[in-house]
Amino acid sequence: MYDLIIIGAGPAGLTSALYALRANKKVLILEAKSYGGQIINASNIENYPGIPSISGFDFATNLYNQVKDLGGEILYEPVTHITSDREVTTSKNTYQVKSIIIATGTNRKKLNLPNEEELTGKGVSYCATCDGNFFKGKDVAVIGGGNTALEDALYLANLAHTVYLIHRRDEFRGEAKYVEELKNKPNVKLVLNATIKALNGTDKLESITTNNEKISVQGLFIAIGGEPQTEAFSNVVDLDENGYIISLDGVHTKTKGIYVAGDVRVKELRQLTTAVSDGSLAATIAIKEME
Ligand code: NAP
């Protein structure tokens, strides 16, 4: 029997695993897709204390290897249900466990425009570092005003001919340093107070229509934030109106033995630093309270 099941192999979940393994606990990590969470797509991380600059891929892979080297077991099985007596059901198995940490993070939000699904992979993308290379020398747009959109625009500015950064307000949510860098890039055009109304093209993206104009682009990178992955847990945790897990102290859920860590919980700041902080604390408290 495992002592601890961690659901999600992003920075929060992997950090929980690191702490639990170092405390000699038997740990299973269950992941629906691939390790690394959202940070694996970050082109460059520059705000993690002590590491001036590292790619999201390298950071996530180092952490993953650190956990594997300690004997961490990761199975790629989406969790479909958990019960208050800590039975975890996946698409393949059922596990009984002493404690559970939910660290499922968020998935990229969609614009929900009519052509969006059809054009995904045909010009529309949710990952600049994965797909940016297809747009070398071409015109692309990024939509969003948070750090992801700003970082994506900076990354794409080194590849594409022109990058239109489209944001619905005239102030960015992301860091001022990135905004300054973007303003100094001659091939980046800020399109503010704008929303995308239509994606044009049938076999591939040809242009986008905003509330003000039509812009000819071959690529559109959608970076408008995340949606929490909590459907499978709604019977054992409280959720806010957006589906994030409510935890009064940032660690405990309403169910004994079930803890939460990372972007999936209601919190003020969703960053790598706070994700790993959550992960270490959740594991430490889960171990302390383990029966
Ligand atoms: P975010 O910070 O939630 O920003 C989402 C952006 O998309 C906002 O600017 C929002 O506009 C806009 N938006 C939301 N829905 C929209 C819609 N339907 N149409 C048009 N625009 C829409 O998301 P994120 O940038 O993915 O970042 C998520 C978290 O990860 C944040 O806490 C961020 O700081 C963190 N992150 C950190 C780093 C880093 O530290 N290096 C890198 C990436 C992400 P409004 O501003 O008007 O709401």
Side-chain angles (χ1 to χ4, degrees), residues 164 166 190-192 194-195 208-215:
Y164 298 91
I166 301 169
L190 303 186
V191 183
L192 303 177
T195 48
I208 53 177
T209 307
T210 73
N211 46 326
N212 297 314
E213 59 187 324
K214 194 170 183 176
I215 306 173

Side-chain angles (χ1 to χ4, degrees), residues 47 109 145 147-148 151 168-169 173 224-225 270-271:
N47 59 358
K109 237 167 72 178
N147 274 340
T148 304
E151 287 184 0
R168 63 184 177 186
R169 294 187 292 133
R173 185 179 288 270
I224 57 168
R270 290 193 174 85
Q271 300 231 323

Side-chain angles (χ1 to χ4, degrees), residues 66-79:
Q66 202 176 357
V67 167
K68 291 290 281 182
D69 288 348
L70 285 169
E73 205 179 325
I74 302 187
L75 295 176
Y76 292 91
E77 299 178 13
V79 173

Side-chain angles (χ1 to χ4, degrees), residues 108 111 113 115-136 138-143 152 156 160 162-164 166 196 198-208 215-223:
R108 286 278 185 102
L111 281 170
L113 286 170
N115 262 354
E116 190 170 344
E117 212 168 309
E118 290 81 347
L119 291 173
T120 297
K122 297 173 182 168
V124 173
S125 168
Y126 300 85
C127 177
T129 53
C130 318
D131 299 330
N133 258 316
F134 297 123
F135 299 92
K136 270 188 182 152
K138 297 188 174 166
D139 295 336
V140 300
V142 175
I143 179 160
D152 283 0
L156 291 164
T162 304
V163 179
Y164 298 91
I166 301 169
I196 299 180
L199 308 175
N200 311 309
T202 40
D203 292 340
K204 56 184 173 47
L205 182 72
E206 286 163 9
S207 65
I208 53 177
I215 306 173
S216 208
V217 285
Q218 290 84 59
L220 170 66
F221 292 85
I222 299 172

